[in-house]
Amino acid sequence: MNINSRRGTKQSASSRHHSNLDRFIQLFLILTAAIIVIGYYYFLSSTVLQKTSDETTTNSKNSGDVPNNDLRNNNIRGGTKSTNNKDAKATIGYAITVTSCPKTSTSGMLDGAAVLQHSIHLNSSHSSSSSSQYSYQMYALVHPAAISCAKSQLEPLGYKILIRDVPVSLDQIQGEYLRTKVEKNGCCGDKEFVKLHAYTLMEHEVVVHLDLDTLVLRPLDDLFDVMIDGVTDDDNDTNNDIGKTKKIEVAFHDPLPTKQPINAFFTRDYNMAHQGMKHAGVQGGFLVLRPSMEVYEEFREIIRKGDFRSKGGWGGMGFGPFYGSMTFQGIIPYFYDHLHPGTGVELDPCAYNNMAHNPRDKPTKNDIVSGNCRNGYNRPEFNDECEDCRSRPIEEVFTTHFTLCQKPWECHAQDGDRIQERLCRKFHGEWYRVREDLETNMWKRGVVDLANTDETAKVRGGEFQPQQFRGYCKRPGAGGYIPITLPPLVFRVRGKAN
């Protein structure tokens, strides 16, 4: 019995051994089959996806639209790496502000925004023809009153839409004079303060705020370098071979400050200057700034306190009264000239934000200037010496602002033989050249021989001075302008990018 018991125990152990081996073999076979099936489906799905991608690219090319990849590469919203394989040093934020919707034509918004954006693109690291090291991102600071038009017009172009109300409501302003007067001051009243939200774009080291009727003609890298890296000896070197006294053309040929970081660059609006004026206001269409929530909150506190006086302007220090002095044009110089001197730099308005303005206080006749220099009212040493920005070669202008030259989308010929019209015509011609480049190179629309008026008119619709307006004007005046129409692919891809 004991033997049988021992034999029975041995047989049971052997049976268990074979059972475990069978289960192991079954598990191995199942895992092997699963691996084979997964590998097969992975191979199959990869093949199908590649075929679909190839078909999509082919269909895009056959349809005449820009393929999605090409459009993303050309997307002028920018990025950290450029499309010509240059690593960008940084991404600069470019902001515009929209405070209301146009009462008539929307050309000033859509067309202005599209061409401005493309001019930035052409002078960024994304362009193979540009020496710039900087990428960019477009923003639109939109007041709630302008949502209905701004979103539909600007979002398809790739602008990031940021809905922003005024930093301080009227009922929160303590100063009675400012509270009761600011709403009707300047072009846009207290809505002009929406521009201050550019200081909150903290994801960028530098932000450029521009008006819609501006155009970038050359890279602004020198300004960005100084704000990011600091001022070097070369920046203040008067013996370099740049072609001017410095790399950065500072107003009055002043040196760049070196004791503390530069937090802003701006130009002044000397067209609004007059004798006896203590401080000229900034020109509101151009401001290069360093974002800072602390600075933004300080601006809010200044507005909330509302210490603007009828005869002394901000703080009673002479920053007003003048056109727009209660808002952006007055509060910016008050901040950088009085509260934080040495942190903001005034640039030469012939090089930056050139408006083709008369620098003197008397009319120009037969190209002969007369009168005192407007920018010399507070700098007597420059009373008789001021450059006429209307004589500045366009190749030496970094940005232009279409104020005195009128808006390019109004088809002004500007073909009179006067000093102002000669430069304005060049500025307008450059605006149309950038528009043509946008439509032909970015949106792949037809190229025309501008010397062939009939061909230009047939393809683009306009025959008025085709060498100047490139087929986008049927006749002089705003009624002759042919507005930009966005291609469907822009709506489909860029409209979803934000």
Side-chain angles (χ1 to χ4, degrees), residues 16 18-28:
R16 284 196 301 272
H18 285 292
S19 177
N20 289 338
L21 180 62
D22 289 342
R23 281 196 295 271
F24 175 80
I25 293 174
Q26 289 174 357
L27 180 60
F28 173 79

Side-chain angles (χ1 to χ4, degrees), residues 226-368:
V226 163
M227 294 186 73
I228 293 173
D229 302 327
V231 179
T232 65
D233 292 338
D234 185 50
D235 294 318
N236 275 327
D237 182 10
T238 58
N239 296 313
N240 59 42
D241 58 357
I242 302 298
K244 291 293 176 183
T245 56
K246 305 178 185 68
K247 289 167 64 177
I248 297 175
E249 294 190 57
V250 180
F252 307 108
H253 306 293
D254 289 342
L256 290 168
T258 57
K259 293 183 178 180
Q260 50 191 327
I262 295 174
N263 293 328
F265 286 106
F266 52 82
T267 62
R268 297 193 195 271
D269 195 347
Y270 289 107
N271 290 302
M272 300 296 175
H274 53 77
Q275 290 281 7
M277 193 176 184
K278 289 188 73 172
H279 301 283
V282 302
Q283 213 297 319
F286 176 90
L287 178 64
V288 183
L289 61 95
R290 187 187 307 279
S292 166
M293 290 305 301
E294 182 179 349
V295 169
Y296 173 72
E297 290 299 332
E298 186 172 353
F299 273 120
R300 290 189 68 205
E301 185 56 33
I302 294 169
I303 299 169
R304 188 179 292 109
K305 184 177 180 181
D307 184 13
F308 187 97
R309 307 173 194 181
S310 61
K311 294 183 179 180
W314 288 102
M317 302 304 298
F319 295 93
F322 49 78
Y323 182 82
S325 61
M326 293 185 186
T327 60
F328 197 74
Q329 288 92 323
I331 199 171
I332 294 296
Y334 175 60
F335 186 90
Y336 290 108
D337 292 347
H338 178 67
L339 297 178
H340 301 277
T343 61
V345 175
E346 178 186 354
L347 296 173
D348 187 335
C350 294
Y352 303 91
N353 206 31
N354 190 315
M355 299 187 294
H357 63 280
N358 181 0
R360 296 178 180 266
D361 57 10
K362 290 185 178 180
T364 300
K365 296 181 180 179
N366 300 320
D367 289 357
I368 299 175

Side-chain angles (χ1 to χ4, degrees), residues 8 10 34 55 62 101 152 217 226 230 260 366 372 412 473 486:
K10 185 176 181 179
E55 288 176 351
N62 291 340
C101 292
S152 61
L217 305 175
V226 163
Q260 50 191 327
N366 300 320
N372 295 318
H412 295 290
C473 287
L486 297 177

Side-chain angles (χ1 to χ4, degrees), residues 14-67:
S14 174
S15 175
R16 284 196 301 272
H17 172 74
H18 285 292
S19 177
N20 289 338
L21 180 62
D22 289 342
R23 281 196 295 271
F24 175 80
I25 293 174
Q26 289 174 357
L27 180 60
F28 173 79
L29 292 175
I30 291 172
L31 289 175
T32 301
I35 291 172
I36 293 173
V37 170
I38 292 172
Y40 172 76
Y41 278 103
Y42 177 81
F43 171 79
L44 183 62
S45 62
S46 298
T47 303
V48 171
L49 286 173
Q50 180 63 43
K51 183 177 180 181
T52 303
S53 175
D54 293 341
E55 288 176 351
T56 301
T57 303
T58 301
N59 290 338
S60 296
K61 291 180 179 179
N62 291 340
S63 68
D65 286 333
V66 186

